[in-house]
C-alpha cells in the first residue's frame, strides 16, 4: 500500500539555475506541456473576466503561457525565487506583451499590494517552499475577497500544512477547501492533487 505521508523537499536552487534551469525549461515546454495545458483549462474556467492571476513558483512560465493563449482578457504575473527561472519565464511570455510578466519573488514576501489578484496558482512548487506556514498569510494578503488559491502538486506535497496554517489564522475560509486527485496521462507523473481554497468575501 502506497504511503500518503506528506513530504516537504525544501528549496533546491541548484536545480533551477544555469544549464540545469535551461534543461528544466525544455522539459516543461516539451514533455510536460500537456499537463500544464490541463491546468490552464482549469484556470481559464475559474478566472473572472478581466481578472488578475498570480503564478507562484512560475518556473519558466509555461503555465502562464498556456493560460494567456486561452484567455487574452487576463493580466498574468509570475514570480519565482530563482532569477534564472524568472528570466526564462519573461522570455517565454514575451509573445503576450504587457499582459503577461514575470519576475523574481519569494512566496513568503510577495512584492505586491494587498488584494492584488483574483486567483493565485502554484504548480509543482509548493513541495519546495521552505516555510509553507509563512506562505499562507502572504497568499491570502494578495488575494481579493472571494479570490481563489489553486495548488497543483504531487500527492505527497504538504497540503495539510497549508490547510492547518490557514485555519489557525482564519484565512482562506470563504468556501470549504476542496482536494481532488487527477490523472495526468504522463507515465512519469501519473497523478497529481489539485487543492482549491477561497478567500473570505
Amino acid at each position: 500500500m502506497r504511503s500518503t505521508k506528506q513530504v516537504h523537499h525544501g528549496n533546491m536552487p541548484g536545480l533551477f539555475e544555469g544549464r540545469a534551469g535551461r534543461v528544466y525549461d525544455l522539459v516543461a515546454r516539451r514533455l510536460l506541456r500537456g499537463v500544464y495545458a490541463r491546468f490552464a483549462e482549469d484556470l481559464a474556467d475559474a478566472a473572472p473576466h478581466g481578472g488578475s492571476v498570480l503564478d507562484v513558483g512560475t518556473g519558466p512560465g509555461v503555465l502562464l503561457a498556456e493560460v494567456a493563449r486561452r484567455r487574452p482578457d487576463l493580466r498574468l504575473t509570475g514570480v519565482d525565487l530563482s532569477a534564472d527561472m524568472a528570466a526564462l519565464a519573461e522570455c517565454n511570455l514575451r509573445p503576450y506583451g504587457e499582459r503577461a510578466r514575470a519576475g523574481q519573488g519569494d512566496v513568503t514576501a510577495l512584492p505586491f499590494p494587498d488584494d492584488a489578484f483574483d486567483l493565485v496558482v502554484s504548480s509543482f512548487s509548493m513541495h519546495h517552499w521552505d516555510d509553507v506556514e509563512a506562505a499562507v498569510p502572504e497568499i491570502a494578503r494578495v488575494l481579493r475577497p472571494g479570490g481563489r488559491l489553486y495548488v497543483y502538486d504531487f500527492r505527497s506535497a504538504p497540503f495539510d500544512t497549508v490547510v492547518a496554517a490557514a485555519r489557525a489564522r482564519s484565512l482562506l475560509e470563504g468556501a470549504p477547501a476542496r482536494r481532488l486527485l487527477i490523472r495526468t496521462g504522463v507515465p512519469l507523473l501519473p497523478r497529481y492533487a489539485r487543492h482549491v481554497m477561497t478567500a473570505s468575501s
Side-chain angles (χ1 to χ4, degrees):
M1 185 173 180
R2 188 170 294 178
S3 171
T4 58
K5 181 180 178 182
Q6 300 215 318
V7 177
H8 175 225
H9 298 290
N11 251 313
M12 293 181 277
L15 288 178
F16 307 106
E17 301 291 342
R19 183 177 181 277
R22 292 190 295 274
V23 170
Y24 184 82
D25 174 43
L26 188 65
V27 168
R29 286 187 294 110
R30 302 268 178 93
L31 298 181
L32 296 178
R33 194 89 193 201
V35 176
Y36 286 116
R38 290 186 182 203
F39 298 170
E41 292 287 348
D42 209 18
L43 299 172
D45 288 340
H49 182 76
S52 295
V53 177
L54 173 65
D55 183 11
V56 177
T58 195
V62 176
L63 175 57
L64 288 184
E66 289 291 330
V67 175
R69 288 178 52 232
R70 290 162 173 77
R71 290 287 302 274
D73 61 297
L74 297 177
R75 295 180 303 281
L76 306 168
T77 304
V79 292
D80 201 280
L81 194 59
S82 162
D84 284 5
M85 283 288 105
L88 286 166
E90 271 284 271
C91 181
N92 289 331
L93 295 172
R94 201 165 290 147
Y96 306 101
E98 291 297 314
R99 65 189 178 94
R101 304 300 304 269
Q104 192 172 13
D106 188 334
V107 68
T108 63
L110 293 168
F112 307 107
D114 295 356
D115 304 334
F117 299 97
D118 299 287
L119 194 151
V120 174
V121 60
S122 170
S123 58
F124 300 122
S125 170
M126 184 179 66
H127 64 275
H128 286 304
W129 296 353
D130 282 332
D131 193 343
V132 176
E133 292 182 355
V136 171
E138 269 297 275
I139 290 170
R141 180 184 66 79
V142 302
L143 269 175
R144 292 176 181 145
R148 282 179 282 179
L149 167 65
Y150 276 68
V151 179
Y152 305 89
D153 213 322
F154 302 111
R155 290 179 290 171
S156 59
F159 292 102
D160 290 344
T161 303
V162 171
V163 173
R167 185 178 296 126
R169 297 167 175 82
S170 299
L171 299 171
L172 302 175
E173 295 184 328
R178 294 175 287 135
R179 192 178 308 174
L180 179 68
L181 286 179
I182 303 174
R183 293 186 183 276
T184 65
V186 177
L188 295 177
L189 185 64
R191 286 189 179 186
Y192 63 88
R194 184 194 72 181
H195 192 86
V196 182
M197 301 179 77
T198 305
S200 299
S201 298

